[in-house]
Amino acid sequence: MKFKGPGGFGRIMNICMNACMCSAFSFIMLWVAQQGVPEGVQVLTPAAYFVSLITSFGIGYVTVDLVPVFKLGNGAAKLLGLKGIGRYAAMVLVINLVVTTIIGFFMTFINMLGRVGLGDIFMQWLKMYPIMLVAGFVVQFIVMKPCMILASKITGFDPATPLPPGQ
């Protein structure tokens, strides 16, 4: 993989953001699932966390690779005419809405299908969705800027001063 320029910047951002979000999501989903099982049954284990983290990271990476979430977030903030922290929060909100919805749904499907059956998957997802939205917003709000700085240092690309087309 190429990790220089705008393409590399996007890859590093995708890896960094998904690592942070999926770490939180995996813990939260397993913790919530742990609350609904009989005493002595362990759902939140290191092995379950690792499997959930890898699975959610794969889903998140593909999602962000296919859906232009950063452009959507930036476009929404621009459309609203926001600046500063308001712009940043609007970008995070849009990115969070898209990414959390997709990761949360697929992770609920994967984690709960064997327990509740296909008919109850949607209800389980709805139960988790508000928790995931809040957690996703908080995590993204905290880590997006540091991830941008890291991606910029690794790739040598600054999204604030992109190169003109063709260069």
Coordinates of all heavy atoms in Angstrom, one line a residue, residues 30-80:
L30 N -20.0 -5.9 23.9 CA -19.8 -7.0 24.7 C -20.2 -6.8 26.1 O -20.8 -7.7 26.8 CB -18.3 -7.5 24.7 CG -17.9 -8.1 23.3 CD1 -16.4 -8.3 23.3 CD2 -18.6 -9.4 23.0
W31 N -20.0 -5.6 26.6 CA -20.4 -5.2 28.0 C -21.9 -5.3 28.1 O -22.5 -5.8 29.0 CB -19.8 -3.9 28.4 CG -20.2 -3.5 29.8 CD1 -19.6 -4.0 30.9 CD2 -21.3 -2.7 30.2 NE1 -20.3 -3.4 32.0 CE2 -21.3 -2.6 31.6 CE3 -22.2 -1.9 29.5 CZ2 -22.2 -1.9 32.3 CZ3 -23.1 -1.2 30.2 CH2 -23.1 -1.1 31.6
V32 N -22.6 -4.7 27.1 CA -24.1 -4.7 27.1 C -24.6 -6.1 27.0 O -25.5 -6.5 27.7 CB -24.6 -3.8 26.0 CG1 -26.1 -4.0 25.8 CG2 -24.3 -2.3 26.3
A33 N -24.0 -6.9 26.1 CA -24.4 -8.3 26.0 C -24.2 -9.1 27.3 O -25.0 -9.9 27.6 CB -23.6 -9.0 24.8
Q34 N -23.1 -8.7 28.0 CA -22.8 -9.4 29.3 C -23.9 -9.2 30.3 O -24.2 -10.0 31.1 CB -21.5 -8.9 29.8 CG -21.0 -9.5 31.2 CD -20.7 -11.0 31.0 OE1 -19.8 -11.3 30.2 NE2 -21.3 -11.8 31.8
Q35 N -24.6 -8.0 30.2 CA -25.6 -7.7 31.2 C -26.8 -8.6 31.1 O -27.6 -8.7 32.0 CB -26.1 -6.2 31.0 CG -24.9 -5.2 31.1 CD -23.9 -5.5 32.2 OE1 -24.3 -5.5 33.4 NE2 -22.7 -5.6 31.9
G36 N -27.0 -9.2 29.9 CA -28.2 -10.0 29.7 C -28.0 -11.5 29.8 O -28.9 -12.3 29.4
V37 N -26.9 -12.0 30.4 CA -26.7 -13.4 30.5 C -26.7 -13.8 31.9 O -26.5 -13.0 32.8 CB -25.3 -13.8 29.8 CG1 -25.4 -13.5 28.3 CG2 -24.2 -13.1 30.5
P38 N -26.9 -15.1 32.2 CA -27.0 -15.6 33.5 C -25.6 -15.4 34.3 O -24.6 -15.4 33.6 CB -27.3 -17.1 33.4 CG -27.8 -17.3 32.0 CD -27.3 -16.2 31.2
E39 N -25.7 -15.4 35.6 CA -24.5 -15.3 36.4 C -23.5 -16.4 36.1 O -23.9 -17.5 35.9 CB -24.9 -15.4 37.9 CG -23.8 -15.1 38.9 CD -23.6 -13.6 39.0 OE1 -24.5 -12.8 38.8 OE2 -22.5 -13.2 39.4
G40 N -22.3 -16.1 36.0 CA -21.2 -17.1 35.7 C -20.9 -17.3 34.2 O -19.9 -17.9 33.9
V41 N -21.8 -16.8 33.4 CA -21.5 -16.9 31.9 C -20.7 -15.6 31.5 O -21.1 -14.5 31.8 CB -22.8 -17.0 31.1 CG1 -22.5 -17.0 29.6 CG2 -23.6 -18.2 31.5
Q42 N -19.6 -15.8 30.9 CA -18.7 -14.7 30.5 C -18.9 -14.4 29.0 O -18.6 -15.3 28.2 CB -17.3 -15.0 30.8 CG -16.9 -15.0 32.3 CD -17.2 -13.6 32.9 OE1 -16.8 -12.6 32.3 NE2 -17.9 -13.6 34.0
V43 N -19.3 -13.2 28.7 CA -19.4 -12.8 27.3 C -18.2 -11.8 27.0 O -17.6 -11.9 25.9 CB -20.7 -12.0 27.0 CG1 -20.8 -11.4 25.6 CG2 -21.9 -12.9 27.3
L44 N -17.9 -11.0 27.9 CA -16.8 -10.0 27.8 C -15.5 -10.7 28.2 O -15.1 -10.6 29.4 CB -17.1 -8.7 28.6 CG -16.1 -7.6 28.6 CD1 -15.8 -7.2 27.1 CD2 -16.6 -6.4 29.4
T45 N -14.9 -11.3 27.3 CA -13.6 -12.0 27.5 C -12.6 -11.4 26.6 O -12.9 -10.8 25.6 CB -13.7 -13.5 27.3 OG1 -14.0 -13.7 25.9 CG2 -14.8 -14.2 28.1
P46 N -11.3 -11.6 26.9 CA -10.3 -11.1 26.0 C -10.4 -11.6 24.6 O -10.3 -10.9 23.6 CB -9.0 -11.5 26.6 CG -9.3 -11.6 28.1 CD -10.7 -12.1 28.1
A47 N -10.7 -12.9 24.5 CA -10.8 -13.6 23.1 C -12.0 -13.0 22.4 O -11.9 -12.6 21.2 CB -11.0 -15.1 23.3
A48 N -13.2 -12.8 23.1 CA -14.4 -12.2 22.4 C -14.1 -10.8 22.0 O -14.5 -10.3 20.9 CB -15.6 -12.3 23.4
Y49 N -13.4 -10.0 22.9 CA -13.0 -8.7 22.5 C -12.2 -8.6 21.3 O -12.4 -7.8 20.4 CB -12.3 -8.0 23.7 CG -11.9 -6.6 23.4 CD1 -12.8 -5.5 23.4 CD2 -10.6 -6.3 23.0 CE1 -12.4 -4.2 23.1 CE2 -10.2 -5.0 22.7 CZ -11.1 -4.0 22.8 OH -10.7 -2.7 22.5
F50 N -11.2 -9.4 21.2 CA -10.2 -9.5 20.1 C -11.0 -9.8 18.8 O -10.8 -9.1 17.8 CB -9.1 -10.5 20.3 CG -8.1 -10.5 19.2 CD1 -7.2 -9.5 19.0 CD2 -8.1 -11.6 18.3 CE1 -6.3 -9.5 17.9 CE2 -7.2 -11.6 17.3 CZ -6.3 -10.6 17.1
V51 N -11.8 -10.8 18.8 CA -12.6 -11.2 17.6 C -13.5 -10.1 17.2 O -13.7 -9.7 16.0 CB -13.4 -12.5 17.9 CG1 -14.4 -12.8 16.8 CG2 -12.4 -13.7 18.0
S52 N -14.2 -9.5 18.2 CA -15.1 -8.4 17.9 C -14.3 -7.2 17.3 O -14.8 -6.5 16.4 CB -15.8 -7.9 19.2 OG -16.7 -6.9 18.9
L53 N -13.2 -6.9 17.9 CA -12.4 -5.8 17.4 C -11.9 -6.0 15.9 O -12.1 -5.1 15.1 CB -11.1 -5.6 18.3 CG -10.1 -4.5 17.8 CD1 -10.7 -3.2 17.9 CD2 -8.9 -4.6 18.8
I54 N -11.4 -7.2 15.6 CA -11.0 -7.5 14.3 C -12.2 -7.4 13.3 O -12.1 -6.8 12.2 CB -10.3 -8.9 14.2 CG1 -9.0 -8.9 15.1 CG2 -10.0 -9.3 12.8 CD1 -8.0 -7.8 14.7
T55 N -13.3 -8.0 13.7 CA -14.5 -8.0 12.8 C -15.0 -6.6 12.6 O -15.2 -6.2 11.5 CB -15.6 -8.9 13.4 OG1 -15.0 -10.2 13.7 CG2 -16.7 -9.0 12.5
S56 N -15.1 -5.8 13.7 CA -15.7 -4.5 13.5 C -14.7 -3.6 12.7 O -15.1 -2.7 12.0 CB -16.0 -3.9 14.9 OG -14.9 -3.7 15.7
F57 N -13.4 -3.8 13.0 CA -12.4 -3.0 12.2 C -12.5 -3.3 10.7 O -12.5 -2.4 9.9 CB -11.0 -3.3 12.7 CG -9.9 -2.5 12.0 CD1 -9.6 -1.2 12.5 CD2 -9.3 -2.9 10.8 CE1 -8.7 -0.4 11.8 CE2 -8.3 -2.1 10.2 CZ -8.0 -0.9 10.7
G58 N -12.7 -4.5 10.4 CA -12.9 -4.9 8.9 C -14.1 -4.2 8.3 O -14.0 -3.7 7.2
I59 N -15.2 -4.3 9.1 CA -16.4 -3.6 8.6 C -16.2 -2.1 8.5 O -16.6 -1.5 7.5 CB -17.6 -4.0 9.6 CG1 -17.9 -5.5 9.5 CG2 -18.8 -3.1 9.2 CD1 -18.8 -5.9 10.6
G60 N -15.6 -1.5 9.5 CA -15.4 -0.1 9.5 C -14.5 0.4 8.4 O -14.7 1.4 7.7
Y61 N -13.4 -0.4 8.2 CA -12.4 0.0 7.2 C -13.0 0.0 5.8 O -12.9 0.9 5.0 CB -11.2 -0.9 7.2 CG -10.1 -0.4 6.3 CD1 -9.1 0.5 6.8 CD2 -10.0 -0.8 5.0 CE1 -8.1 1.0 6.0 CE2 -9.0 -0.3 4.2 CZ -8.1 0.6 4.7 OH -7.1 1.1 3.9
V62 N -13.8 -1.1 5.5 CA -14.4 -1.2 4.2 C -15.5 -0.1 4.0 O -15.6 0.5 3.0 CB -15.1 -2.6 4.0 CG1 -16.0 -2.7 2.8 CG2 -14.0 -3.7 3.9
T63 N -16.3 0.1 5.1 CA -17.3 1.2 5.0 C -16.7 2.5 4.7 O -17.1 3.2 3.8 CB -18.0 1.3 6.4 OG1 -18.7 0.1 6.6 CG2 -19.0 2.5 6.4
V64 N -15.6 2.9 5.4 CA -15.0 4.2 5.2 C -14.3 4.3 3.9 O -14.2 5.3 3.2 CB -14.1 4.6 6.4 CG1 -13.3 5.9 6.1 CG2 -14.9 4.7 7.6
D65 N -13.8 3.1 3.4 CA -13.1 3.1 2.1 C -14.1 3.3 1.0 O -13.8 3.9 -0.1 CB -12.4 1.7 1.9 CG -11.3 1.8 1.0 OD1 -10.6 2.8 0.9 OD2 -11.1 0.8 0.2
L66 N -15.4 2.7 1.1 CA -16.4 2.8 0.1 C -17.3 4.1 0.2 O -17.7 4.5 -0.9 CB -17.2 1.6 0.1 CG -16.6 0.2 -0.2 CD1 -17.5 -0.9 0.0 CD2 -16.0 0.2 -1.6
V67 N -17.5 4.5 1.4 CA -18.4 5.7 1.5 C -17.6 6.9 1.9 O -16.8 6.9 2.8 CB -19.4 5.4 2.7 CG1 -20.4 6.6 2.9 CG2 -20.2 4.1 2.4
P68 N -17.7 8.0 1.1 CA -16.9 9.1 1.4 C -17.3 9.9 2.6 O -17.8 11.1 2.5 CB -17.0 10.0 0.1 CG -18.4 9.6 -0.4 CD -18.6 8.2 0.0
V69 N -17.2 9.4 3.8 CA -17.7 10.0 5.0 C -17.1 11.3 5.3 O -17.7 12.2 5.8 CB -17.6 9.0 6.2 CG1 -18.5 7.8 6.0 CG2 -16.2 8.6 6.5
F70 N -15.8 11.4 5.1 CA -15.1 12.7 5.4 C -15.6 13.8 4.5 O -15.8 15.0 4.9 CB -13.6 12.6 5.4 CG -13.1 11.7 6.5 CD1 -12.7 10.4 6.3 CD2 -12.9 12.3 7.8 CE1 -12.3 9.6 7.3 CE2 -12.5 11.5 8.8 CZ -12.2 10.2 8.6
K71 N -15.8 13.5 3.2 CA -16.4 14.5 2.3 C -17.8 14.8 2.7 O -18.2 16.0 2.6 CB -16.4 13.9 0.8 CG -15.0 14.0 0.2 CD -15.0 13.5 -1.2 CE -13.6 13.5 -1.8 NZ -13.5 12.9 -3.1
L72 N -18.6 13.8 3.1 CA -20.0 14.1 3.5 C -20.0 15.0 4.7 O -20.8 15.9 4.8 CB -20.7 12.8 3.8 CG -21.0 11.8 2.7 CD1 -21.5 10.5 3.2 CD2 -22.0 12.5 1.8
G73 N -19.2 14.7 5.7 CA -19.1 15.5 6.9 C -18.6 16.9 6.6 O -19.2 17.9 7.1
N74 N -17.6 17.0 5.8 CA -17.1 18.4 5.4 C -18.1 19.1 4.6 O -18.4 20.3 4.8 CB -15.8 18.2 4.6 CG -15.0 19.5 4.6 OD1 -15.1 20.3 5.4 ND2 -14.3 19.7 3.5
G75 N -18.8 18.4 3.7 CA -19.9 19.1 2.9 C -21.0 19.6 3.7 O -21.5 20.7 3.5
A76 N -21.4 18.8 4.7 CA -22.5 19.2 5.6 C -22.2 20.4 6.4 O -22.9 21.4 6.5 CB -22.9 18.0 6.5
A77 N -20.9 20.4 7.0 CA -20.5 21.6 7.8 C -20.4 22.8 6.9 O -20.7 23.9 7.3 CB -19.1 21.2 8.4
K78 N -19.9 22.6 5.7 CA -19.8 23.8 4.7 C -21.2 24.3 4.3 O -21.4 25.5 4.3 CB -19.0 23.3 3.5 CG -18.6 24.4 2.6 CD -17.7 23.8 1.5 CE -17.0 24.9 0.7 NZ -16.2 24.3 -0.4
L79 N -22.1 23.4 4.1 CA -23.4 23.7 3.7 C -24.1 24.5 4.8 O -24.9 25.5 4.5 CB -24.2 22.5 3.4 CG -25.7 22.7 2.9 CD1 -25.7 23.3 1.5 CD2 -26.4 21.3 2.9
L80 N -23.8 24.2 6.0 CA -24.4 24.9 7.2 C -23.7 26.2 7.5 O -24.1 27.0 8.3 CB -24.4 24.0 8.4 CG -25.3 22.8 8.3 CD1 -25.1 21.8 9.5 CD2 -26.8 23.2 8.2

